[in-house]
Amino acid sequence: MIIQPNTDKLALAKKLLECVRQKARRVSGRLGRPIRFMEVCGTHTAAISRLGLRDALQEVMILASGPGCPVCVTDYQDIDTAVAVCRTVDNVVVATFGDMIKVPGSYSSLEKEKAGRGNVKIFYAPYLAVEYARNNPDKEVVFLAVGFETTMPTVALALDMAERDKVNNFSILPLGKLVPPAIKALLQDPELNVDGLILPGHVSAVIGRKSQDFIASYFHMPAVVTGFEAADILIGINSLLKQLETGAARVENRYRRVVAEEGNPEARQITDKYFAPVSAKWRGLGSIPDSGLVLRERYGYFDAGTRFSLEGQEPIIPRGCLCGDLLKGKALPADCRLFGKTCTPLNPVGPCMVSSEGACAAWFNYGMTS
């Protein structure tokens, strides 16, 4: 379907919604069971709930969340390390994105450290932390480099800035993650129960559509890259339904206005200059080969863990939290006995209730209960 510039978006969305419902009923009838799709993107998770699409489609399909929220997949041990920076490094300022501050570790959170004696500051872009370090040479500024392929180029540019300007009191905790290895790990799980993947639009803009062809060619799983408006999401779901109906498996691009076949080579190049792939722990998914980013040896002096000889402790995982199962698409927020009771945005037990892109926060904020 070609969307004309003057098309009324609400009317188009309603038409698409009815089309998707009808097709989903037909495909579900042929399968003899409910359809289950996974959105591998926190922005999609939030948008689907905010737009009411999860509620509108729940009679014909289940839309489960995956490991698409970088805050949510940050391991307990990584949060514990950030807390250790607050407590053990002299004259330190822990610089972070705002959505990391409430994420609970085993013993504390950055918010609790800030309320105590910790010096924690929120920055909306990594380069601002470099500027702060340059203007405060008596402080050690440690930036929590959390994010996927979309965010890590901005971290690399900040490192480029710090290197050029010789800002020697700036370092990072390299906690970046790569999405394709996590998708591979998911699809290798024999307990995974999904019929298709809604792939992340932002990440795909960097890595390109072609980099995800393995989903269809190796795992024979239908997949689609799509945007974040109601029409985008419904067109993407419709594409998945068409593939299920015909028995096809392709990685389709329904977000061509943003996502190219090869992605953004400049963004990948600056990331590759500073970072190399390494095995990394994902909350809920465990250790995944080549799914994390570590500073290359040449730039190792920017690594706060090495600079301050930080030692990790064995994390303590809270009982009852289903965040790990949510990130694997094996549970929905309403399946968790803590959801909306012990665990709320004001008192989160797990990160899925912290981040605006977390499944639990999306369900809680937009009234989903089942």
Side-chain angles (χ1 to χ4, degrees):
M1 178 179 291
I2 298 174
I3 302 175
Q4 300 298 331
N6 296 325
T7 301
D8 180 82
K9 290 185 178 181
L10 180 59
L12 174 63
K14 288 181 177 178
K15 185 175 181 180
L16 285 168
L17 179 61
E18 188 53 37
C19 175
V20 165
R21 279 175 171 161
Q22 291 178 8
K23 187 167 292 184
R25 290 190 187 99
R26 187 166 65 246
V27 174
S28 179
R30 291 181 181 179
L31 293 175
R33 57 173 175 77
I35 299 164
R36 191 180 181 96
F37 293 145
M38 172 189 282
E39 71 266 9
V40 193
C41 176
T43 309
H44 277 138
T45 293
I48 287 169
S49 295
R50 175 175 52 81
L51 294 167
L53 295 179
R54 203 180 307 276
D55 194 19
L57 292 170
Q58 65 177 339
E59 293 182 4
V60 292
M61 71 177 63
I62 297 169
L63 293 173
S65 301
C69 165
V71 173
C72 302
V73 300
T74 301
D75 192 64
Y76 282 101
Q77 196 164 27
D78 294 331
I79 303 300
D80 293 344
T81 301
V83 169
V85 172
C86 286
R87 294 180 176 182
T88 62
V89 179
D90 294 334
N91 298 318
V92 72
V93 173
V94 174
T96 180
F97 294 124
D99 52 2
M100 284 298 299
I101 198 163
K102 284 189 174 183
V103 180
S106 302
Y107 314 97
S108 184
S109 67
L110 293 177
E111 183 181 51
K112 290 178 180 177
E113 295 303 305
K114 182 178 175 65
R117 301 175 66 180
N119 195 348
V120 180
K121 292 186 179 297
I122 294 172
F123 293 91
Y124 295 98
Y127 81 91
L128 294 173
V130 178
E131 288 186 348
Y132 180 87
R134 183 171 52 206
N135 295 332
N136 295 270
D138 60 320
K139 304 289 187 184
E140 286 288 347
V141 178
V142 178
F143 183 76
L144 268 60
V146 173
F148 292 149
E149 288 91 340
T150 319
T151 305
M152 295 313 291
T154 68
V155 176
L157 287 170
L159 292 170
D160 214 44
M161 179 178 172
E163 184 186 27
R164 182 189 66 234
D165 297 347
K166 295 181 171 54
V167 183
N168 298 320
N169 60 323
F170 176 80
S171 60
I172 68 169
L173 283 179
L175 304 176
K177 300 285 195 298
L178 301 173
V179 172
I183 293 177
K184 288 180 183 177
L186 272 178
L187 295 178
Q188 288 169 345
D189 186 343
E191 296 182 2
L192 181 69
N193 178 27
V194 296
D195 298 301
L197 301 180
I198 302 172
L199 298 173
H202 295 146
V203 167
S204 296
V206 175
I207 66 175
R209 186 210 62 81
K210 286 177 64 176
S211 67
Q212 300 166 95
D213 271 338
F214 69 90
I215 297 169
S217 61
Y218 189 83
F219 294 100
H220 201 72
M221 173 71 69
V224 63
V225 179
T226 191
F228 306 98
E229 296 185 19
D232 289 322
I233 295 167
L234 289 167
I235 288 171
I237 291 173
N238 190 56
S239 294
L240 292 177
L241 290 171
K242 283 183 179 179
Q243 292 189 55
L244 282 180
E245 199 168 30
T246 61
R250 298 183 297 274
V251 177
E252 298 185 344
N253 185 3
R254 299 296 179 179
Y255 200 29
R256 290 191 179 93
R257 65 184 186 271
V258 173
V259 176
E261 287 288 281
E262 304 292 342
N264 186 327
E266 291 82 6
R268 295 199 306 275
Q269 185 177 15
I270 188 65
T271 301
D272 290 344
K273 175 182 176 180
Y274 285 94
F275 296 99
V278 67
S279 293
K281 287 185 178 179
W282 292 56
R283 195 181 298 234
L285 279 74
S287 183
I288 302 175
D290 297 325
S291 67
L293 291 172
V294 65
L295 283 161
R296 295 190 181 276
E297 186 176 356
R298 178 182 174 185
Y299 304 106
Y301 52 85
F302 279 122
D303 190 322
T306 301
R307 182 179 294 192
F308 303 112
S309 301
L310 299 174
E311 295 183 4
Q313 295 182 342
E314 192 65 27
I316 299 173
I317 300 173
R319 294 180 179 179
C321 177
L322 293 186
C323 190
D325 287 336
L326 287 170
L327 296 169
K328 293 183 285 189
K330 295 181 179 180
L332 301 175
D335 297 329
C336 181
R337 60 184 178 83
L338 306 181
F339 175 72
K341 302 178 182 70
T342 306
C343 185
T344 67
L346 291 177
N347 183 38
V349 175
C352 295
M353 187 61 89
V354 176
S355 173
S356 60
E357 295 187 344
C360 294
W363 279 53
F364 188 94
N365 291 331
Y366 300 108
M368 292 292 295
T369 58
S370 63

